[in-house]
Amino acid sequence: MPPEISKSRSPAPPASPKARRVRPVPAVTRSIAILRLLGESPPMGVKAIAEQLGLVPSTCLHIVRVLVDEQLLKVDEASKRYALGIGMLSLARSVVKNSTFSSLAQPMLDDLSNEWGVTTMGVETAGAEHMAVVALSRAQAPFGLHVDVGSRFPALVSATGRLVAAFGQESWPQLQKRFKTVRWDKPIEFAAWKKEVELARKNGYSIDRGNYINGVTIVAVPVLDEGQRMSHSLVAAGLSDQLNGPTGTAIAKAMLEVADSLSTMLPYKR
């Protein structure tokens, strides 16, 4: 019989905070858009970048030149195409190095990975649109998961996405609108997904059995602060044959213990 998971981590969804007004800064917004575009695309010329983002080519040129000067972009002088530069790598390393969660979670993820033979991840879920991998431990497994520290995914995807919905502040109509943009190997209907979100809130963990990646089971648990707000998630991924029903539940229980330990050590800001 599968181990029973404690249900003491099942809070009522928190009230929505008052929206904070952010004054638009076009130059910053355009710079970030260019970096994100080139982070997901092969090297591109100024004209292609401008067309993709709806920018005036001359404006786009000025921005990419500044980004090159700051080493956030690099340019191939022969083709005049731009790509992310080494400055981005330096920034990413600084984020991880200075992240208390990453430094605390890494040895715990290593232990989970070694004990269960799965790939484990620490995921930051603070953003409304995306989540990002901030810590990673790979197991000696017969499959490779294409993920690295810094990888970003839509916030509602896979097991962690169910937790984002369960412990977040969005209404069901808002979630349904964003759910329609999520891509799955084995698509799931919103009504069925909604039931799994409610189950995740009740149980305190979530399991994606091959919906996001066919043949791969993904287990996720939330890391909650004292206000029962979710800022991070611990994730384990393995072959579905490896993480069958009882095993998936057992690893979820082990991950919940780690998440509880992390919650007591993190200096959350209130």
Side-chain angles (χ1 to χ4, degrees):
M1 187 172 181
E4 185 175 351
I5 304 299
S6 170
K7 299 181 182 180
S8 62
R9 299 164 52 86
S10 307
S16 299
K18 185 177 180 179
R20 181 175 57 184
R21 182 180 179 183
V22 178
R23 185 182 298 276
V25 184
V28 175
T29 302
R30 292 163 184 166
S31 298
I32 294 172
I34 290 171
L35 293 173
R36 285 180 172 166
L37 174 63
L38 293 176
E40 300 171 353
S41 309
M44 301 172 66
V46 169
K47 182 179 179 181
I49 295 171
E51 289 179 350
Q52 186 77 16
L53 299 176
L55 302 177
V56 176
S58 60
T59 299
C60 184
L61 178 60
H62 290 309
I63 294 173
V64 298
R65 282 177 173 173
V66 171
L67 294 175
V68 168
D69 190 57
E70 295 293 336
Q71 296 188 315
L72 299 179
L73 292 183
K74 61 182 178 181
V75 60
D76 183 317
E77 293 297 342
S79 65
K80 298 299 181 182
R81 292 183 179 179
Y82 294 82
L84 294 184
I86 59 173
M88 292 294 296
L89 182 59
S90 177
L91 288 176
R93 285 175 176 168
S94 296
V95 170
V96 174
K97 180 180 179 181
N98 296 319
S99 170
T100 302
F101 174 82
S102 298
S103 59
L104 291 173
Q106 189 62 57
M108 298 179 181
L109 293 175
D110 291 340
D111 289 344
L112 285 169
S113 185
N114 291 332
E115 180 179 355
W116 295 91
V118 294
T119 294
T120 56
M121 290 162 273
V123 177
E124 183 174 330
T125 59
E129 297 296 329
H130 292 87
M131 52 185 165
V133 177
V134 295
L136 174 68
S137 183
R138 298 185 188 277
Q140 297 297 323
F143 79 104
L145 196 64
H146 297 290
V147 62
D148 292 294
V149 171
S151 295
R152 296 168 72 247
F153 302 93
L156 297 186
V157 81
S158 192
T160 294
R162 292 168 174 83
L163 297 177
V164 169
F167 294 92
Q169 301 162 351
E170 291 187 280
S171 66
W172 285 116
Q174 290 173 316
L175 290 169
Q176 185 172 20
K177 183 177 180 180
R178 291 211 288 132
F179 175 83
K180 294 178 181 179
T181 67
V182 178
R183 295 183 180 181
W184 312 80
D185 266 2
K186 292 171 61 178
I188 181 173
E189 294 294 329
F190 179 76
W193 182 81
K194 180 179 177 181
K195 290 181 179 179
E196 293 185 6
V197 169
E198 292 170 339
L199 186 63
R201 183 183 296 126
K202 177 182 178 181
N203 290 340
Y205 70 92
S206 177
I207 301 179
D208 181 300
R209 301 188 184 278
N211 290 115
Y212 180 48
I213 304 175
N214 190 25
V216 174
T217 290
I218 300 175
V219 183
V221 303
V223 178
L224 305 174
D225 65 13
E226 290 182 357
Q228 299 296 286
R229 296 178 292 265
M230 175 178 161
S231 62
H232 296 84
S233 172
L234 301 182
V235 181
L239 294 175
S240 293
D241 290 342
Q242 175 189 11
L243 297 181
N244 56 23
T247 305
T249 305
I251 193 172
K253 182 177 181 179
M255 292 167 66
L256 281 173
E257 293 178 356
V258 173
D260 285 337
S261 297
L262 279 170
S263 294
T264 62
M265 291 186 284
L266 290 170
Y268 287 109
K269 296 179 179 180
R270 297 175 177 79

